Amino acid sequence: MITVGIFGATGYAGYELLRILARHPQATLGFASSETYAGQRYSDVYPCAFDDTLVAPGDAPLDGVDVVFLCTPHAASAPFAVRALEAGCKCVDLSADFRLRDLATYETWYGAHAAPQLLDEAVYGLTEIYRQEVAGARLVANPGCYPTGPLLALYPFLRQGLLTSPRVIIDAKSGVSGAGAKPSPTTHFVAVNENLSAYNVGRKHRHVPEIDQELSRFGGGQDVQVVFVPHLLPVTRGILSSIYVSLDPGWDQEALLDLWGETYADSPFVRVRPAGSLPTLAHVAGTNYCFLGLAPTGIDGDWVIVTALDNLVKGASGQAVQNMNVMCGWDETAGLLP
Amino acid sequence: MITVGIFGATGYAGYELLRILARHPQATLGFASSETYAGQRYSDVYPCAFDDTLVAPGDAPLDGVDVVFLCTPHAASAPFAVRALEAGCKCVDLSADFRLRDLATYETWYGAHAAPQLLDEAVYGLTEIYRQEVAGARLVANPGCYPTGPLLALYPFLRQGLLTSPRVIIDAKSGVSGAGAKPSPTTHFVAVNENLSAYNVGRKHRHVPEIDQELSRFGGGQDVQVVFVPHLLPVTRGILSSIYVSLDPGWDQEALLDLWGETYADSPFVRVRPAGSLPTLAHVAGTNYCFLGLAPTGIDGDWVIVTALDNLVKGASGQAVQNMNVMCGWDETAGLLP
Amino acid sequence: MITVGIFGATGYAGYELLRILARHPQATLGFASSETYAGQRYSDVYPCAFDDTLVAPGDAPLDGVDVVFLCTPHAASAPFAVRALEAGCKCVDLSADFRLRDLATYETWYGAHAAPQLLDEAVYGLTEIYRQEVAGARLVANPGCYPTGPLLALYPFLRQGLLTSPRVIIDAKSGVSGAGAKPSPTTHFVAVNENLSAYNVGRKHRHVPEIDQELSRFGGGQDVQVVFVPHLLPVTRGILSSIYVSLDPGWDQEALLDLWGETYADSPFVRVRPAGSLPTLAHVAGTNYCFLGLAPTGIDGDWVIVTALDNLVKGASGQAVQNMNVMCGWDETAGLLP
Amino acid sequence: MITVGIFGATGYAGYELLRILARHPQATLGFASSETYAGQRYSDVYPCAFDDTLVAPGDAPLDGVDVVFLCTPHAASAPFAVRALEAGCKCVDLSADFRLRDLATYETWYGAHAAPQLLDEAVYGLTEIYRQEVAGARLVANPGCYPTGPLLALYPFLRQGLLTSPRVIIDAKSGVSGAGAKPSPTTHFVAVNENLSAYNVGRKHRHVPEIDQELSRFGGGQDVQVVFVPHLLPVTRGILSSIYVSLDPGWDQEALLDLWGETYADSPFVRVRPAGSLPTLAHVAGTNYCFLGLAPTGIDGDWVIVTALDNLVKGASGQAVQNMNVMCGWDETAGLLP
């Protein structure tokens, strides 16, 4: 049994972590911190059944804590990571602070970095792809919610060099929890309900450089041009991405499905839908699964890939716990089934 | 054809007024003002098809305007009412500023009043009940969204002295637009979606003194004790109120339905459901109707009354236009059908 | 580790049972049966990650099964209960077949009973109240989704004789999963979305005799008159009930909250909200908790009680597993936290 | 003032027609027919404020009726069209029966055609493109809900020969009313709510041949390959389509927006969003507008076009009334503003 701490516990990812950890057989909560709500009971801040008292970040007792989760915003996370590592904790950061390997790229999208010296050491925590590196890591950068599905889907196709056109169109639809808990005109119930809107169209979303970085690594540097169009969906949880690609026409649907199946044979959280069926948000709601499926478009060699995951679980806190499980040498599914 | 002006045009009630006025055969828009968005096009502030340019309230041209609608918050409305009346306009105020006849009661619930000298003159604009007074009014206080349905339902029962217990329980459920457009933690999509919550329980909601005032007038001062429990419903529009009352057991269902039918025979916007059927939000969405229905509870003399209306139409901007129609001597339904 | 079987596994309660059992530390699935989908994989019937193959009810292997859950409709359940008990299994029935102790009352509401000889033996599985009886039972009748919350709230008040009026008004609002998975005009998305409707008003809902029976037992036969008005809410899960009661004015809010607190001190799934706060659906979504709260109405001695639970968990499959845990002598919370 | 009749009045399109016609200044309702509900009042079938009595289709009085709307399903519509034309009525068919000019294509997708002799005469009622033909038509085939937006968006680009790749990817998201009022497992509230799913992926949806036919006409036969991926969205109304195209890189954003502006300068229901802004469902809900917008994807010459409309209005009954207005020589917007 180990002890974990959470910085930034009152956001959606923080709450989801509490929920998952509450049934984790090998981890117990050491502290949950909040800048804003320090001193209050959790259930007085967030309607739920957790009654832990929130501590101020400065009072968080790192002694005796084995793993620290950072649910703090980008830029705020890096200093906590430094502090956690200095205290001898392993650290999983759910912000963007350690996802981009290139400092200049980070600074272009997010501004100054508070701990660039840790960039080389941080491991990108897409568990299924970097399981080995995660196992030996002190600091894991948990992937963004949007990149996780498309990256898992495209990984084997890029590694096999199947792309016949560099263009990869990702038409993504996300639930509102992806926008965070801070109230704004765009997340007001009346603005979202019965609505659908595209935003940050083209290459303006901060997850684009993360997708670029990983696709480039998967493809060994071959040219990939990502078109990323996110949409805000009137649901609380879930991301469904419809991905349009042109692949080597020598590969038929069964061959492509088999390639996914083989790639993820030992990855319990990746599920491949059989031909004729595609993932939906209902398949994954509340779970750590990423579902994959594909269908012919009617144009030879062109496919639509559909990926689905719960942005708060596999897209955030579930994958963070999955990474903790790997870092601690436990069964990857501990606390995460079903 | 008359010209109307709107102060506070970018809130939900303001938008709904624009929508209704756009198809009104006898009214045209003179100005739409906004403190925050002056100088912008309406469609750049609010996703819709209206392209009117918003003016600053101070620049609103009252000359040549016949009727002014105040969609401004309470306390802010009263000074605009003074200004509109001084300019010779008729005025319909959608805020609470002129709903309560008793200054002390107003001050208890809302604080200082900026124009108490107008309280006596203002007519409470529950059109079906005060049609005569509205017809001759310069200043109409448009009723609150919650009171409208229960007041219309209870009016004939109180006037006939049918209540056998003073206790009237109003279990009300409102869509989120009733909470206004200002972002807050309680109106965040994630907080409302898949949720239901009671709030301002007991006699804490500001619509309670308004309900008290009118029920007392209807009943000629007989004792009525209102229990009002509003709930926030995960829909954009609509209020459904389930009202529990004890009535003279000599009146059966048909007699009660007939009493409603006779009372509102000349009121095109009040619709009575036949026995065995009750109003739902679907009956009234987007319309100016208030639907009434009732059913036996299984206890002799006890009834559950159900009222439904669209809080933005009959509960706000539709009733405001209905009042304008009456003030101008037009067909009450002008611009408001279906 | 025991083995469990599920009859009627493809309804909402059946799916929820699979979800809960998948993380139960002491139970494993022996079979899941379906009349309609026998031979198919679960995930091909219901979008999820379970791939168990469904068996025909007639082929369900009761040998080696320790506990059987019946998620079949009323009337269909009773014969399965007979078969399960004859095979030596313990049985938790989620239908209404064994909830009503009086055969005539059952027949009035549901028609002929297929196994009236079991009515005396069956234990009403409101775990917190009948824990002792459940512990020794072979056959447990899992309570209906609507009764569970109000019964838990009213139990100590009735036992203490606090009611000063026999009238108990339950204004209940339920998510659509309570209506079952069978498509109908009333559960069509377009009919429910952005709508709210009362149904089976008065004393017409089949859960009324169940509430009557239990309140009568709690109160030792004192007169209680229940007014039950259910509403269909545009959410998937959850029931929130606003209950209007008159209680002995000698009991203030803290005394009433304390009475709840003492009554349920050893009941991990009943949570009492502190004064000034009331339960919402968000508190209980996806959990086995029943939250209780109350507030003054402004009328002396009159209170509004609010109860919230997830109709598929504490209102069905969660309470069924809770009962299994008690029947097997395990920790009541096994598989049910958080 | 003319008289109109509606066959199939109790579906969603029929209801929407009633709603629009109720405020049309030049049309009055002659009859509304329903096979299933003949003899009942409208408001007893569908929760609303219309109390017209439904007639059996065989009893529909075509004498004295000027325009007939067919809201009946495909295959059922054609015989009504024959009957309406024989009675001297103009006819707008909202089904697919007269949309496809090629009989063989119709039969491939829909089966036998009951009135192939009318195919040549029928005019495809995409009003903005075929206004002239509609003006002189006896029989108008109202377009499908999905094709309308993409066709209006692509029309000027194809006519100008701007496509540099034949591939046009339409990632479309539709509200549930598009699936019709008939209950089914896929339209159950619980199946749709909090979900998103792709369906009829590739070229399997019946609107594909309609899109093909029109794009081919617009482009003068140039090769266009449509990839059409519809998704079912948890909203009642609205279709938002994100369309991925490669255009002549010589045209920048302003030039493309100008081309739309010029093309639709005299089309009051087509609205072009300025650069930096894209249509959302909120822009069009309840209106007859089709909003167009586009944004660069980050790849030279590649664009994402976004179109939004209300599937029940511009995608069905609104456009049908717009066509009636043109057929009758009235202002195209009569009854359709705002």
Side-chain angles (χ1 to χ4, degrees), chain B residues 78-109:
Chain B
F80 285 119
V82 172
R83 195 172 139 206
L85 295 182
E86 283 175 358
C89 308
K90 292 176 195 289
C91 181
V92 180
D93 177 21
L94 286 84
S95 88
D97 276 0
F98 300 101
R99 292 179 193 155
L100 300 176
R101 319 192 126 225
D102 183 57
L103 179 60
T105 306
Y106 179 91
E107 291 177 338
T108 300
W109 288 87

Side-chain angles (χ1 to χ4, degrees), chain A residues 194-196, chain C residues 190, chain D residues 145-146 172-179 199 231-241 280-287 289 307-315:
Chain A
E194 296 296 288
N195 197 3
L196 180 74
Chain C
V190 173
Chain D
C145 54
Y146 276 123
K173 301 90 175 172
S174 173
V176 186
S177 60
Y199 68 101
H231 300 73
L232 186 66
L233 200 62
V235 306
T236 292
R237 291 160 169 260
I239 296 178
L240 190 131
S241 296
T280 68
L281 292 187
H283 283 99
V284 297
T287 80
Y289 293 105
T307 70
L309 54 73
D310 184 321
N311 59 303
L312 293 179
V313 192
K314 183 61 177 170

Side-chain angles (χ1 to χ4, degrees), chain B residues 291-305:
Chain B
F291 271 63
L292 309 178
L294 57 75
T297 63
I299 299 177
D300 201 34
D302 276 18
W303 301 91
V304 55
I305 296 168

Side-chain angles (χ1 to χ4, degrees), chain D residues 217-242:
Chain D
R217 287 167 80 182
F218 297 168
Q222 67 176 274
D223 184 28
V224 182
Q225 296 172 353
V226 172
V227 173
F228 182 61
V229 178
H231 300 73
L232 186 66
L233 200 62
V235 306
T236 292
R237 291 160 169 260
I239 296 178
L240 190 131
S241 296
S242 304

Side-chain angles (χ1 to χ4, degrees), chain D residues 6-333:
Chain D
I6 304 174
F7 286 102
T10 56
Y12 296 140
Y15 169 69
E16 198 68 19
L17 258 179
L18 280 184
R19 199 176 71 86
I20 294 168
L21 292 169
R23 55 177 193 258
H24 197 290
Q26 288 145 293
T28 188
L29 186 68
F31 68 84
S33 90
S34 165
E35 190 91 41
T36 315
Y37 301 107
Q40 299 191 37
R41 285 201 314 174
Y42 202 88
S43 63
D44 291 332
V45 173
Y46 198 99
C48 67
F50 297 117
D51 281 336
D52 308 272
T53 298
L54 293 155
V55 299
D59 298 336
L62 288 175
D63 284 358
V65 163
D66 303 283
V67 178
V68 164
F69 293 97
L70 307 180
C71 300
T72 35
H74 69 87
S77 271
F80 285 118
V82 171
R83 196 173 138 205
L85 295 182
E86 283 176 357
C89 308
K90 293 176 195 289
C91 181
V92 180
D93 176 21
L94 285 84
S95 87
D97 276 1
F98 300 102
R99 291 180 194 154
L100 300 176
R101 320 191 126 226
D102 183 57
L103 179 60
T105 304
Y106 179 90
E107 291 177 338
T108 301
W109 288 87
Y110 296 97
H113 198 295
Q117 72 280 7
L118 292 175
L119 282 179
D120 276 352
E121 176 182 353
V123 170
Y124 186 72
L126 189 61
T127 329
E128 285 75 12
I129 311 301
Y130 300 112
R131 195 177 277 119
Q132 297 270 42
E133 294 85 339
V134 168
R138 287 198 311 162
L139 173 59
V140 166
N142 216 56
C145 54
Y146 276 123
T148 293
L151 291 179
L152 289 172
L154 295 170
Y155 169 71
F157 300 162
L158 275 156
R159 217 177 40 167
Q160 292 277 344
L162 298 189
L163 253 66
T164 56
S165 160
R167 185 178 311 146
V168 173
I169 294 171
I170 304 174
D171 189 288
K173 301 90 175 172
S174 173
V176 186
S177 60
K182 201 175 157 191
S184 80
T186 55
T187 58
H188 193 295
F189 182 83
V190 173
V192 175
N193 184 43
E194 296 296 288
N195 197 5
L196 180 74
S197 49
Y199 68 101
N200 283 347
V201 167
R203 293 178 55 81
K204 290 191 188 153
H205 194 285
R206 281 170 165 168
H207 288 171
V208 167
E210 187 180 338
I211 298 172
D212 282 350
Q213 165 184 291
E214 293 304 313
L215 291 185
S216 173
R217 287 167 80 182
F218 297 168
Q222 67 176 274
D223 184 28
V224 182
Q225 296 172 353
V226 172
V227 173
F228 182 61
V229 178
H231 300 73
L232 186 66
L233 200 62
V235 306
T236 292
R237 291 160 169 260
I239 296 178
L240 190 131
S241 296
S242 304
I243 307 169
Y244 300 89
V245 290
S246 301
L247 301 180
D248 180 343
W251 289 65
D252 66 10
Q253 187 163 12
E254 283 311 315
L256 294 169
L257 293 174
D258 285 350
L259 179 56
W260 273 344
E262 288 154 24
T263 305
Y264 297 114
D266 297 325
S267 290
F269 292 117
V270 178
R271 303 290 288 263
V272 180
R273 296 297 303 156
S277 171
L278 290 171
T280 68
L281 292 187
H283 283 99
V284 297
T287 80
N288 198 50
Y289 293 105
C290 177
F291 270 64
L292 309 179
L294 56 76
T297 62
I299 299 178
D300 201 34
D302 276 18
W303 301 90
V304 56
I305 296 167
V306 176
T307 70
L309 54 73
D310 184 321
N311 59 303
L312 293 179
V313 192
K314 183 61 177 170
S317 305
Q319 186 151 251
V321 170
Q322 188 183 356
N323 282 323
M324 175 185 75
N325 289 343
V326 173
M327 292 163 92
C328 293
W330 301 328
D331 181 343
E332 195 171 318
T333 67

Side-chain angles (χ1 to χ4, degrees), chain C residues 19-164:
Chain C
R19 200 176 71 85
I20 294 168
L21 291 169
R23 56 177 193 256
H24 197 289
Q26 286 145 294
T28 188
L29 186 70
F31 69 84
S33 91
S34 165
E35 191 91 41
T36 315
Y37 300 107
Q40 297 191 39
R41 285 202 314 173
Y42 202 88
S43 62
D44 291 332
V45 173
Y46 199 98
C48 68
F50 297 117
D51 282 335
D52 307 271
T53 298
L54 293 155
V55 300
D59 299 336
L62 289 175
D63 283 358
V65 164
D66 303 284
V67 179
V68 164
F69 292 97
L70 307 181
C71 300
T72 36
H74 68 85
S77 271
F80 285 119
V82 172
R83 196 174 137 205
L85 296 181
E86 283 175 359
C89 307
K90 292 175 195 291
C91 181
V92 180
D93 177 20
L94 286 84
S95 88
D97 276 1
F98 300 101
R99 292 179 194 156
L100 299 176
R101 320 192 125 225
D102 182 58
L103 179 59
T105 305
Y106 179 90
E107 290 177 339
T108 300
W109 288 88
Y110 296 96
H113 198 295
Q117 71 280 9
L118 292 175
L119 282 179
D120 277 353
E121 176 182 354
V123 170
Y124 186 70
L126 189 61
T127 328
E128 286 75 11
I129 311 301
Y130 300 111
R131 196 176 276 119
Q132 296 270 39
E133 293 86 338
V134 168
R138 286 199 311 163
L139 173 59
V140 166
N142 215 56
C145 54
Y146 276 123
T148 293
L151 291 179
L152 289 173
L154 295 170
Y155 169 71
F157 301 162
L158 276 156
R159 216 178 39 166
Q160 293 276 343
L162 300 189
L163 253 67
T164 55

Side-chain angles (χ1 to χ4, degrees), chain A residues 248-337:
Chain A
D248 179 345
W251 289 65
D252 66 10
Q253 188 164 11
E254 282 311 315
L256 293 169
L257 293 175
D258 285 350
L259 178 57
W260 273 343
E262 288 154 22
T263 304
Y264 297 114
D266 298 324
S267 289
F269 292 116
V270 178
R271 304 290 289 261
V272 180
R273 297 297 303 157
S277 171
L278 289 171
T280 67
L281 292 188
H283 283 99
V284 297
T287 80
N288 197 50
Y289 293 105
C290 177
F291 270 63
L292 309 179
L294 57 76
T297 63
I299 299 178
D300 201 34
D302 276 18
W303 301 90
V304 55
I305 296 167
V306 177
T307 69
L309 53 74
D310 185 319
N311 59 303
L312 293 179
V313 191
K314 183 61 177 170
S317 305
Q319 186 151 252
V321 170
Q322 188 182 357
N323 282 323
M324 175 185 76
N325 290 344
V326 172
M327 291 163 93
C328 293
W330 301 329
D331 181 344
E332 195 170 319
T333 67
L336 291 168
L337 289 179

